[in-house]
């Protein structure tokens, strides 16, 4: 398969690179240090179609495919993983869950404003006792007066504070296990639904992450997504596509770390010459570049299959697993090439490394990806 970008895709790539360099790069360290979520970028992201990349124009989206989507996420993450993560979570999780499983009325009410960039979307699956084991969900929804009363909480939610729309799952029939979990759309106007503790994170510090709490929150049945008991299965399907975006995020972070290493290696002189002239450094750069290209190809393969309506469970897990671990390795090697300066905030290497680590955890740890891949392989 040839994943070379066509002319239109190249134009998209360069326009996003220009945007990231001019609108994001000057503020990266300030946002990271202050943990500032740059909500002021939202109108600019919307203008570029980045709040509805993968949704049809009829729902306010840009009508692009996953090849374009992966390219966009990579280019943003090359400059700042935090902004890349926000764009990925908004598109792949909350908005996509409504697009894939919502009714026409739900799409018009919630997806259109999300895709047009009027607000950020959040998605709630993880709980304090339900991380890798999402089937351990304890948030519950009880039938009440034509709707549902929801109690519980969700952890590690991107856009929990700034987002106005949240898709989350809750137990509607505890006797049925995974088949007793359903999905609902929540919005900030609902009484009993509120954001809670904001996390103080190692990396991705400009991407807002917090908990949400449901305290006797009433949700009308019209806000239920799909049939009762389908929530867990829906979430797993959403993660299939979401992992492509995390793989692309990983590739972008790795690319940024690599470019920083190349730049430093050419500028830094030791023993009378640039350290780029030393074979030890050249071998590091060669390995880094090779790993990044392999990760990119896996990511683009998954994106290609997704665009062609093929099953991507195995391929997206492979891409996410490999790319995320490559991002950590490449970022660490970038620090090594920078030497002592790589351990300081005067150079970007340390931030790439801090940001990269989340990619091996979010949307399923590396261990979970291996389980997903093995399960698909053993089906044959």
């Amino acid at each position: 398969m040839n994943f070379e970008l066509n002319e239109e895709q190249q134009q998209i790539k360069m326009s996003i690179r220009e945007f990231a360099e001019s609108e994001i790069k000057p503020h990266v360290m300030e946002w990271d240090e202050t943990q500032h979520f740059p909500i002021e970028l939202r109108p600019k992201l919307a203008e570029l179609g980045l709040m509805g990349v993968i949704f049809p124009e009829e729902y306010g989206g840009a009508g692009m495919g996953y090849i374009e989507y992966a390219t966009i996420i990579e280019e943003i993450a090359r400059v700042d993983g935090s902004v890349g993560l926000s764009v990925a979570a908004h598109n792949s999780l909350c908005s996509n869950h409504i697009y894939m499983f919502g009714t026409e009325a739900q799409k018009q009410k919630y997806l259109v404003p999300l895709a047009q960039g009027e607000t950020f979307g959040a998605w709630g699956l993880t709980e304090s006792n339900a991380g890798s084991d999402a089937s351990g969900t304890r948030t519950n929804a009880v039938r009440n007066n034509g709707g549902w009363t929801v109690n519980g909480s969700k952890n590690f939610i991107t856009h929990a504070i700034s987002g106005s729309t949240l898709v989350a799952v809750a137990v509607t029939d505890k006797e049925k296990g995974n088949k007793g979990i359903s999905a609902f759309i929540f919005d900030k106007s609902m009484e009993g639904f509120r954001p809670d503790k904001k996390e103080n994170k190692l990396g991705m510090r400009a991407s807002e992450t917090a908990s949400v709490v449901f305290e006797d929150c009433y949700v009308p049945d019209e806000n239920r997504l799909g049939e009762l008991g389908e929530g867990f299965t829906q979430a797993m399907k959403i993660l299939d596509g979401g992992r492509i975006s995390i793989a692309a995020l990983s590739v972008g972070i790795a690319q940024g770390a690599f470019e920083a290493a190349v730049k430093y290696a050419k500028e830094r002189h030791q023993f009378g010459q640039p350290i780029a002239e030393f074979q030890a450094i050249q071998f590091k750069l060669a390995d880094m570049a090779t790993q990044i290209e392999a990760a990119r190809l896996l990511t683009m393969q998954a994106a290609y299959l997704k665009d062609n309506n093929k099953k991507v469970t195995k391929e997206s897990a492979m891409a996410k697993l490999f790319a995320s671990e490559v991002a950590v390795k490449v970022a660490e090697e970038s620090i090594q090439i920078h030497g002592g300066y790589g351990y300081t905030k005067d150079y970007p290497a340390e931030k790439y490394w801090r940001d990269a680590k989340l990619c091996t955890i979010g949307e399923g740890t590396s261990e979970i990806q291996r389980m997903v891949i093995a399960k698909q392989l053993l089906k044959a």
Side-chain angles (χ1 to χ4, degrees):
M1 287 177 279
N2 178 16
F3 300 126
E4 184 176 357
L5 301 181
N6 60 36
E7 184 177 349
E8 182 180 353
Q9 291 166 338
Q10 281 287 357
Q11 289 176 347
I12 292 170
K13 177 184 177 74
M14 296 317 297
S15 68
I16 301 304
R17 175 169 294 194
E18 182 180 344
F19 167 76
E21 293 281 348
S22 62
E23 301 290 339
I24 300 174
K25 190 173 183 177
H27 310 288
V28 166
M29 289 311 296
E30 174 194 350
W31 292 343
D32 183 76
E33 289 288 309
T34 61
Q35 300 189 62
H36 171 67
F37 174 55
I39 197 167
E40 63 271 21
L41 280 179
R42 181 169 52 79
K44 297 175 182 178
L45 294 171
E47 184 179 351
L48 290 169
L50 304 187
M51 299 289 281
V53 181
I54 53 177
F55 309 115
E57 294 179 8
E58 65 188 280
Y59 296 120
M64 299 186 202
Y66 272 76
I67 292 287
E68 291 85 357
Y69 182 38
T71 301
I72 287 166
I73 296 297
E74 178 184 337
E75 285 300 321
I76 296 174
R78 172 182 165 270
V79 171
D80 186 14
S82 291
V83 179
L85 177 60
S86 282
V87 173
H90 174 83
N91 279 273
S92 293
L93 302 179
C94 174
S95 302
N96 200 33
H97 201 143
I98 298 171
Y99 175 62
M100 287 184 66
F101 300 105
T103 63
E104 185 62 27
Q106 289 170 338
K107 291 176 185 177
Q108 292 298 330
K109 183 176 180 179
Y110 293 106
L111 178 59
V112 170
L114 286 167
Q116 291 179 337
E118 295 177 20
T119 183
F120 281 102
W123 195 69
L125 181 64
T126 301
E127 298 181 4
S128 58
N129 290 306
S132 293
D133 179 17
S135 64
T137 297
R138 294 186 179 179
T139 295
N140 67 86
V142 179
R143 285 190 183 274
N144 178 21
N145 194 28
W148 302 83
T149 297
V150 180
N151 284 281
S153 63
K154 298 292 179 180
N155 293 11
F156 303 127
I157 309 303
T158 304
H159 307 143
I161 299 170
S162 298
S164 296
T165 302
L166 167 77
V167 172
V169 299
V171 176
T172 48
D173 188 340
K174 64 181 181 181
E175 302 299 324
K176 293 184 178 180
N178 289 352
K179 302 297 184 182
I181 297 174
S182 304
F184 299 89
I185 304 172
F186 299 83
D187 65 59
K188 286 290 179 67
S189 67
M190 293 176 176
E191 188 175 346
F193 166 46
R194 61 177 173 83
D196 201 39
K197 176 192 173 186
K198 181 180 178 182
E199 302 295 343
N200 184 8
K201 299 176 295 183
L202 169 72
M204 301 289 194
R205 289 166 63 82
S207 179
E208 177 187 278
T209 307
S211 302
V212 295
V213 175
F214 308 101
E215 295 176 330
D216 292 329
C217 176
Y218 178 78
V219 185
D221 194 57
E222 65 191 40
N223 278 42
R224 175 168 45 85
L225 277 164
E227 298 300 321
L228 282 175
E230 290 184 349
F232 181 80
T233 301
Q234 291 174 7
M236 295 305 102
K237 291 179 180 178
I238 292 300
L239 288 174
D240 278 352
R243 285 166 181 156
I244 297 172
S245 69
I246 299 302
L249 184 75
S250 303
V251 172
I253 292 171
Q255 184 66 37
F258 171 74
E259 291 176 11
V262 170
K263 182 176 185 293
Y264 184 82
K266 290 180 177 179
E267 294 173 350
R268 175 68 167 169
H269 282 67
Q270 291 287 276
F271 305 103
Q273 59 183 324
I275 63 171
E277 296 296 321
F278 296 113
Q279 190 178 66
I281 301 299
Q282 291 176 355
F283 280 12
K284 285 183 182 294
L285 294 174
D287 287 343
M288 292 159 75
T290 302
Q291 290 165 358
I292 293 169
E293 191 61 23
R296 183 178 289 115
L297 287 170
L298 276 173
T299 303
M300 286 300 179
Q301 175 186 245
Y304 170 84
L305 292 172
K306 184 71 173 173
D307 280 340
N308 285 275
N309 299 313
K310 304 291 186 181
K311 186 176 180 181
V312 295
T313 301
K314 179 185 72 175
E315 289 77 9
S316 64
M318 284 180 167
K320 196 269 189 187
L321 168 64
F322 186 78
S324 64
E325 297 200 344
V326 161
V328 174
K329 292 175 186 175
V330 168
E332 185 173 350
E333 286 287 54
S334 182
I335 291 176
Q336 194 70 18
I337 289 170
H338 280 77
Y341 289 113
Y343 206 66
T344 72
K345 292 183 180 293
D346 295 327
Y347 289 84
E350 60 85 29
K351 182 180 182 298
Y352 284 118
W353 181 71
R354 287 188 290 110
D355 287 350
K357 189 56 196 169
L358 179 67
C359 297
T360 67
I361 300 170
E363 297 201 30
T365 63
S366 291
E367 291 74 19
I368 290 295
Q369 303 312 312
R370 290 183 170 94
M371 289 173 61
V372 170
I373 294 164
K375 184 178 181 180
Q376 295 299 310
L377 293 175
L378 294 172
K379 276 184 176 181

